[in-house]
Amino acid sequence: MNHDQTIIHFREVKKSYGRVQALDGLSFTAAKYGCLGLLGPNGAGKTTAIKCLLNLTHYESGSVDVQARRIGYVPQQPALFPWMTAEETLRFIGAERGLRGKALEDAIEYRLDQIGLLKAKRRRTGGFSGGMKQRLALAAALIHEPDLLVLDEPVSALDPVGRHDVLALLNVLKRDRAIVMSTHILDDAERVCDDVVIMREGHAALQQSMGQIRVTVNLRYDVELLGEAAAIAAAGALLQTQPYVSGCRQVGSVLALTLHRLEEVPALLHTLASLEDVQVIRLEQSKPSLEDIFLQVVNGQ
Amino acid sequence: MIYLNLLQKEWLEVVRSYKILFIPVVFILLGVGQPLAMHFMPQILELGNVPAGTVIEIPIPPPEQIQAGIIDQYSQLGIFVLILAAMGVISREVEQGQAALLSTLGVTRHRYVLTKWMMLAALTVFSILIGFVATAYYTEILFGSLNWGHVILGALVYSLYPLFVLSLTLLLGTLNTSQLSVAGSTLATVIVFSLAGTMRQLLPWLPNQASTIAKNLIGAGQALPVRGIAVPCIWIAVTLVATCLSFRRREL
């Protein structure tokens, strides 16, 4: 990635809490436009990376270069002031961000409308549901039109409709700013992220675009055979001994096989030619899901 | 100007959490209890099991000493209430993530600490002043006239000690994670200062000297010693600087 196009540059960042090494040489970059997903199992260091990014914690070595002038942040647990109304919250945060007068009032109305909280603007946030708090926190992060939006598990407390709406909004927002989003919900990452960093034990085990990732990571070929139960059982017994078959499972009169390389398909077809009463009903290249990729990377494959 | 928005937020919290109401009320009640208790002492004692025919004569102290007597009340229960009101001001906001949010808004650590201190200090001085005035009002009605200049000046001088305790509570709030440990460690430190204050050689160097100076001013009309006022101010300043430095190192 061209340095002019990057907004965040993490270089070999190390951070420990006592004996626990939270970040162990984490390096990654984020582009000025688009959404970068920070993925990883619990304890991989996602939240610590976000804290380093926002200068909320000190790190022992490495460097974090953030080129954004305005940053918006939505923490995992929305940190609002329970005695303030939704409107007062945005007014305080907007004023702290430098907005004044009509510009501030217009921004408050616009953001409250955008996140569907206009009717609740005079209610105190202490009485809000988790989803309402998360949406208000997002509005607060956007009030000053940030160049960089940092989201820690942004839709974890939302219902399916709220989740859909917020992800749709993020897809719009990423067109003219950078978004860094940590999540453990891989489906959300697939829907919004252009690039992902898969973290493992405090370092980036993989950083690629979603497009690249699907090409790089092993594709899978699913084959299904249909036949009489006895013939399928015989085929299964033969095929599961073949080195190129990585998965073999019989479900009634169907035998499901998994191959990992295209070159293995002719060998399979050659073996099938020697079998009677068995026909191929499906041969398909499967698109690996982000979950497949995530599991491969996290398991060190 | 950069403090105004943050101060407005603190003000809103003080109002909506009713601190603006209950802290002054506590100081008024603690204060006016002193002249009222002195005035009605014979009747209070008669309510007890006093043998018939017993004559109770309690020497009535001059109004200045009654007024000065509330300082002891404030230095115990009043200080305790202030610690309770301030113990979660930093540690709770760190725990709940509001401090991190403010940091990402560009609020510097020292601005955060100083704003918290300013609002609580204003509330403390207001509560002490209103408590002193209410007490002086009842003392005048029940016991005779007072020098109001001494009362007001005494309240301001005495406020230096609660302001030090407030700064100490904030400092310990940056060092402790639980509100209970903030309150416990602040109380323990205050008790150590009180014990140390009983030693004549140490007292001139302690922040609680402000109470003695205020008592002497109100009770006996003694002049204000410049060094005696400077010492608590220095303690407050040093504690505030330590709070800012400590909070800079705190993980948010």
Side-chain angles (χ1 to χ4, degrees), chain A residues 30-106:
Chain A
K32 277 185 177 170
Y33 304 103
C35 180
L36 172 78
L38 283 180
L39 311 181
N42 290 338
K46 303 186 294 290
T47 299
T48 307
I50 285 180
K51 283 186 171 183
C52 291
L53 174 64
L54 297 169
N55 205 19
L56 295 177
T57 190
H58 305 283
Y59 44 91
E60 285 106 40
S61 63
S63 66
V64 179
D65 184 17
V66 181
Q67 294 293 327
R69 284 185 299 123
R70 298 183 302 266
I71 301 176
Y73 169 52
V74 180
Q76 192 172 358
Q77 302 293 333
L80 301 169
F81 303 101
W83 63 89
M84 279 188 183
T85 63
E87 194 178 27
E88 286 165 351
T89 303
L90 294 189
R91 189 167 292 120
F92 164 66
I93 291 175
E96 207 53 52
R97 295 293 199 184
L99 296 174
R100 297 282 181 273
K102 191 171 182 304
L104 175 59
E105 295 307 318
D106 289 349

Side-chain angles (χ1 to χ4, degrees), chain A residues 214-274:
Chain A
R214 292 200 172 101
V215 174
T216 311
V217 175
N218 290 339
L219 294 173
R220 197 178 73 205
Y221 297 88
D222 293 327
V223 183
E224 283 181 6
L225 309 177
L226 178 70
E228 295 292 328
I232 282 295
L238 173 66
L239 289 169
Q240 68 186 359
T241 62
Q242 303 301 312
Y244 51 83
V245 175
S246 30
C248 180
R249 187 166 53 93
Q250 185 180 348
V251 183
S253 56
V254 174
L255 187 68
L257 305 171
T258 304
L259 311 181
H260 272 128
R261 289 189 302 168
L262 186 61
E263 305 87 276
E264 292 164 348
V265 174
L268 172 70
L269 295 176
H270 183 72
T271 309
L272 290 179
S274 65

Side-chain angles (χ1 to χ4, degrees), chain B residues 152-235:
Chain B
I152 302 294
L153 199 57
L156 294 175
V157 171
Y158 170 69
S159 297
L160 293 173
Y161 177 52
L163 289 182
F164 163 72
V165 176
L166 191 66
S167 317
L168 184 69
T169 313
L170 294 189
L171 171 63
L172 293 169
T174 64
L175 297 169
N176 289 286
T177 47
S178 94
Q179 295 182 44
L180 208 61
S181 55
V182 174
S185 51
T186 311
L187 263 180
T189 315
V190 166
I191 290 168
V192 168
F193 273 110
S194 298
L195 293 175
T198 58
M199 290 182 233
R200 284 191 167 209
Q201 307 93 312
L202 277 180
L203 186 63
W205 305 103
L206 296 176
N208 32 345
Q209 190 197 185
S211 350
T212 312
I213 296 170
K215 266 193 229 173
N216 292 340
L217 172 71
I218 298 169
Q222 284 184 13
L224 292 177
V226 175
R227 198 192 74 176
I229 294 171
V231 167
C233 292
I234 291 168
W235 274 95

